[in-house]
């Protein structure tokens, strides 16, 4: 027998879309202040793919090697065909995950998901207080989420909670983790807000301070010690306070494939903001060609596209220059180093953002919630003063 | 935890172990993650079914890979590793 190498296969030679993320609808009953959906999503709520088209996507992606399927949105449960999609995913051998706010999850539906072979449900939670949970989602959904959590547990699903962290709940990390424990959570993702889409225009309102983040991380580590293996806690650090960017999506066109509600195929959630990109659509392109041959998927694959300081950087393997969308949104140049990097000539934009987030006048500006109305207004050119710092938002 | 010859393990709940044609290897799938297994690990976990004892696994792999020599230790350490990763649990 060959050496065991800890059991992990290492000689992966070519890219494969291991993760398929189906952003199956952009409709959503919630209006989260930190939503990463595009601010012009209202343009994409039309022309949703039908059930048969989704099933074809699932089949074609599976042939390319896709294994993990995330069904997200918007709120996927607004569609009534998730049951059929789940059954097909199970037949095809996907490990499938429904990413939901919980709104629309009934006893009947969860039973159908269970018998259809859905593997797990990831539920978003927001806070331990009803007040803040309802405030950041701009809805009254707190009690319902608690009920849904119990339902998920009751069906024997692994309990996966996702909590987006921002200034309004970062002071409650301990209580949030205790709530997760009480709900019997198996996995908790404490995801510090990443600033794209709606969260970007609400950045001054959402950004916590460095001290708050350090404290939150400390509390998380203490909780980890206490809880041990019973609950896995992921603490996703916010990149604004880091010195190097993250390897966005594990590399452009490396392992992630996102199919949006209308069938456009993207290498990352927010890629639509990038300039001069034409994203292929599943209704008139073959998925295999899209992944391997399309201009969109090859544009930032690897490191050929890089310019200085990334091109000659000794660390480029680690982060591949960071996030293209963040680079463009902040610097106006999609090929620039991610401004998070302290080697980037645009790092001052991040430092300025951190300063602005402490500015009481800016903090006091109202949050622009993710609503159809606000999205349409942004498309029509309103809210200019809140968008002017971001090169690419409509 | 010590791995004993008489122990019986199974794939952990919420984990799925399967052969993948497209990657030509066994994989383990679980919430938020997946691991592609190398051939040896795949062969071992393929026998972890809630019925075979650790000794059964060793015996059948020795039969299957006659030229492999003394693989007991490797197999035990793979069990150890999979247990630490929570891919398998004691039945
Ligand atoms: S973040 Fe909130 S508003 Fe955005 S899709 Fe998710 S639940 Fe809906
Ligand atoms: S210069 Fe570019 S490649 Fe080097 S660390 Fe910074 S972002 Fe990464």
């Amino acid at each position: 027998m060959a050496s065991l190498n800890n059991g992990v296969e290492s000689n992966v030679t070519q890219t494969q879309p291991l993760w398929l993320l189906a952003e199956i609808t952009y409709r959503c009953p919630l209006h989260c202040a930190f939503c990463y959906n595009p601010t012009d999503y209202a343009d994409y709520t039309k022309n949703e793919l039908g059930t048969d088209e989704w099933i074809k996507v699932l089949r074609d992606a599976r042939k390319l090697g896709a294994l993990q399927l995330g069904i997200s949105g918007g709120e996927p449960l607004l569609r009534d065909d998730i049951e059929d999609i789940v059954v097909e995913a199970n037949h095809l051998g996907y490990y499938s995950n429904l990413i939901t706010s919980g709104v629309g999850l009934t006893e009947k539906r969860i039973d159908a998901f269970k018998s259809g072979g859905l593997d797990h449900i990831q539920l978003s939670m927001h806070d331990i207080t009803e007040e803040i949970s309802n405030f950041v989602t701009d809805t009254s959904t707190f009690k319902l989420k608690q009920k849904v959590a119990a339902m998920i547990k009751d069906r024997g699903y692994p309990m996966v909670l996702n909590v987006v962290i921002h200034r309004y709940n970062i002071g409650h990390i301990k209580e949030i983790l205790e709530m997760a424990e009480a709900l019997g959570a198996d996995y908790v993702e404490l995801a510090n807000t990443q600033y794209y889409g709606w969260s970007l225009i609400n950045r001054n309102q959402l950004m916590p301070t460095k001290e708050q983040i350090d404290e939150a991380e400390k509390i998380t580590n203490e909780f980890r010690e206490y809880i041990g293996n019973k609950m896995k806690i992921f603490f996703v650090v916010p990149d604004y306070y880091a010195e190097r960017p993250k390897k966005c999506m594990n590399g452009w066109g490396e392992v992630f494939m996102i199919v949006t509600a209308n069938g456009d195929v993207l290498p990352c959630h927010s890629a639509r903001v990038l300039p001069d990109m034409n994203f292929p659509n599943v209704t008139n392109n073959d998925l295999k060609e899209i992944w391997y041959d399309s201009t969109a998927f090859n544009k930032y694959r690897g490191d050929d596209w890089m310019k200085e300081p990334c091109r000659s950087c000794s660390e480029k393997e680690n982060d591949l220059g960071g996030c293209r969308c963040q680079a463009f949104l902040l610097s106006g140049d999609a090929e620039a180093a991610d401004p998070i990097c302290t080697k980037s000539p645009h790092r001052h934009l991040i430092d300025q953002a951190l300063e602005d987030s402490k500015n009481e006048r800016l903090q006091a500006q109202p949050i622009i919630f993710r609503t159809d109305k606000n999205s349409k207004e942004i498309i029509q050119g309103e809210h200019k003063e809140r968008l002017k710092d971001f090169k690419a938002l409509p | 935890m010590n791995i004993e010859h008489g122990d019986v393990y199974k794939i952990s709940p919420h984990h799925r172990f399967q052969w993948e044609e497209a990657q030509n290897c066994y994989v383990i799938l679980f919430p938020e993650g997946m691991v592609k297994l190398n051939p040896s690990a795949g062969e071992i976990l393929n026998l972890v079914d809630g019925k075979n004892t650790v000794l059964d696994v060793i015996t059948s792999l020795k039969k299957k890979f006659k030229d492999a020599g003394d693989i007991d230790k490797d197999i035990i350490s793979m069990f150890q590793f999979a247990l630490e990763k929570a891919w398998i649990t004691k039945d």
Side-chain angles (χ1 to χ4, degrees):
Chain A
M1 279 178 127
S3 103
L4 282 160
N5 186 24
N6 278 346
V8 182
E9 181 68 274
S10 52
N11 60 341
V12 184
T13 44
Q14 59 169 14
T15 69
Q16 264 177 341
L18 297 175
W19 298 75
L20 172 65
L21 197 70
E23 289 193 336
I24 202 155
T25 178
Y26 283 128
R27 292 173 289 139
C28 189
L30 275 65
H31 312 130
C32 302
F34 49 75
C35 183
Y36 66 75
N37 280 168
T39 47
D40 58 352
Y41 77 84
D43 269 352
Y44 304 101
T45 48
K46 294 153 254 169
N47 306 324
E48 279 184 14
L49 296 185
T51 316
D52 293 345
E53 288 168 307
W54 274 113
I55 287 181
K56 182 169 185 316
V57 169
L58 258 50
R59 286 186 186 148
D60 292 349
R62 187 77 182 104
K63 276 188 222 137
L64 294 176
L67 271 167
Q68 284 274 7
L69 170 68
I71 305 171
S72 81
E75 174 49 64
L77 293 173
L78 286 183
R79 286 183 62 128
D80 58 13
D81 58 356
I82 304 298
E83 287 79 348
D84 304 322
I85 289 169
V86 158
V87 167
E88 182 65 20
N90 185 46
H91 279 310
L92 291 168
Y94 279 103
Y95 194 83
S96 57
N97 174 18
L98 177 72
I99 300 165
T100 177
S101 67
V103 178
L105 193 62
T106 57
E107 304 270 347
K108 187 163 165 244
R109 292 198 85 178
I110 198 169
D111 286 339
F113 295 150
K114 191 75 199 178
S115 63
L118 178 71
D119 290 290
H120 77 110
I121 300 177
Q122 181 189 308
L123 177 67
S124 62
M125 294 284 233
H126 304 283
D127 197 33
I128 36 138
T129 72
E130 178 156 12
E131 190 196 346
I132 287 176
S133 179
N134 288 350
F135 170 68
V136 294
T137 60
D138 191 28
T139 52
S140 36
T141 46
F142 178 76
K143 290 208 177 79
L144 176 131
K145 282 171 179 287
Q146 301 279 328
K147 236 172 68 196
V148 166
M151 223 191 310
I152 293 172
K153 192 74 192 169
D154 177 63
R155 294 307 188 283
Y157 272 117
M159 165 78 74
V160 185
L161 296 184
N162 177 283
V163 188
V164 176
I165 304 295
H166 41 71
R167 187 184 292 158
Y168 293 95
N169 62 5
I170 195 160
H172 302 158
I173 294 286
K174 180 139 188 279
E175 292 80 0
I176 289 171
L177 288 169
E178 283 165 358
M179 171 182 78
E181 185 190 8
L183 291 169
D186 300 284
Y187 298 81
V188 181
E189 191 175 76
L190 300 172
N192 275 284
T193 306
Q194 310 275 354
Y195 296 98
Y196 300 93
W198 298 88
S199 50
L200 184 59
I201 58 175
N202 294 313
R203 193 172 61 181
N204 291 329
Q205 290 75 15
L206 297 172
M207 178 89 68
T209 64
K210 177 90 172 66
E211 292 70 38
Q212 285 175 314
I213 285 168
D214 291 345
E215 180 64 16
E217 200 164 7
K218 192 177 131 233
I219 293 170
T220 305
N221 285 334
E222 286 165 7
F223 201 88
R224 271 200 195 109
E225 296 248 309
Y226 148 77
I227 197 104
N229 258 342
K230 216 169 78 189
M231 185 164 110
K232 256 199 157 136
I233 310 172
F234 303 93
F235 187 85
V236 183
V237 289
D239 53 2
Y240 275 55
Y241 290 105
E243 301 199 328
R244 293 288 177 270
K246 58 189 187 296
K247 188 177 186 181
C248 193
M249 303 311 281
N250 219 3
W252 180 276
E254 286 293 316
V255 288
F256 281 97
M257 179 188 258
I258 291 144
V259 181
T260 66
N262 68 347
D264 288 348
V265 190
L266 315 178
C268 101
H269 308 279
S270 58
R272 247 195 248 282
V273 302
L274 294 168
D276 310 322
M277 294 289 278
N278 235 328
F279 291 106
N281 191 287
V282 293
T283 51
N284 42 32
N285 294 275
D286 174 59
L287 210 55
K288 187 170 178 186
E289 275 171 36
I290 293 176
W291 179 262
Y292 289 106
D293 305 326
S294 71
T295 319
F297 272 81
N298 283 304
K299 187 147 185 182
Y300 300 113
R301 219 173 225 152
D303 57 14
D304 281 352
W305 54 271
M306 282 182 179
K307 48 163 92 163
E308 294 300 341
C310 297
R311 174 159 288 284
S312 59
C313 178
S314 60
E315 297 172 69
K316 68 180 172 189
E317 290 301 312
N318 301 343
D319 57 41
L320 286 172
C323 172
R324 293 307 86 223
C325 304
Q326 187 147 271
F328 182 62
L329 283 165
L330 302 182
S331 80
D333 178 358
E335 281 155 29
D338 188 326
I340 297 297
C341 185
T342 51
K343 297 184 192 179
S344 154
H346 299 110
R347 172 69 207 193
H348 64 274
L349 296 171
I350 299 292
D351 297 328
Q352 185 61 48
L354 295 177
E355 278 309 307
D356 287 352
S357 70
K358 291 182 221 152
N359 179 320
E360 283 173 18
R361 188 183 55 82
L362 294 174
Q363 281 179 4
Q365 288 175 335
I367 287 178
I368 302 178
F369 287 98
R370 177 215 196 265
T371 61
D372 291 357
K373 178 169 169 289
N374 285 335
S375 183
K376 283 181 194 139
E377 285 175 7
I378 288 173
I379 294 166
Q380 282 156 15
E382 294 180 41
H383 303 291
K384 277 260 164 0
E385 74 298 343
R386 292 283 285 276
L387 304 172
K388 68 176 181 348
D389 288 343
F390 315 125
K391 307 289 189 282
L393 291 179
Chain B
M1 217 180 354
N2 260 339
I3 308 286
E4 305 290 342
H5 275 174
D7 293 348
V8 175
Y9 286 91
K10 62 173 185 202
I11 302 294
S12 293
H14 313 316
H15 285 58
R16 197 188 314 142
F17 171 79
Q18 69 188 32
W19 174 256
E20 270 308 296
E21 210 49 58
Q23 351 271 351
N24 193 32
C25 67
Y26 284 105
V27 294
I28 279 229
L29 299 158
F30 45 89
E32 318 293 315
M34 68 174 112
V35 175
K36 298 184 188 188
L37 298 164
N38 69 20
S40 331
E43 293 288 348
I44 297 169
L45 290 187
N46 194 28
L47 295 170
V48 173
D49 59 357
K51 292 186 202 96
N52 286 327
T53 63
V54 172
L55 188 61
D56 293 337
V57 175
I58 295 174
T59 317
S60 31
L61 288 175
K62 275 187 162 164
K63 236 185 244 158
K64 190 161 173 187
F65 301 96
K66 288 212 178 61
D67 307 330
D70 187 18
I71 53 176
D72 297 41
K73 262 211 197 112
D74 286 350
I75 295 175
I76 297 277
S77 66
M78 184 62 220
F79 268 98
Q80 193 84 48
F81 182 75
L83 194 61
E84 275 162 29
K85 288 276 168 196
W87 296 341
I88 59 172
T89 39
K90 211 166 180 173
D91 216 20

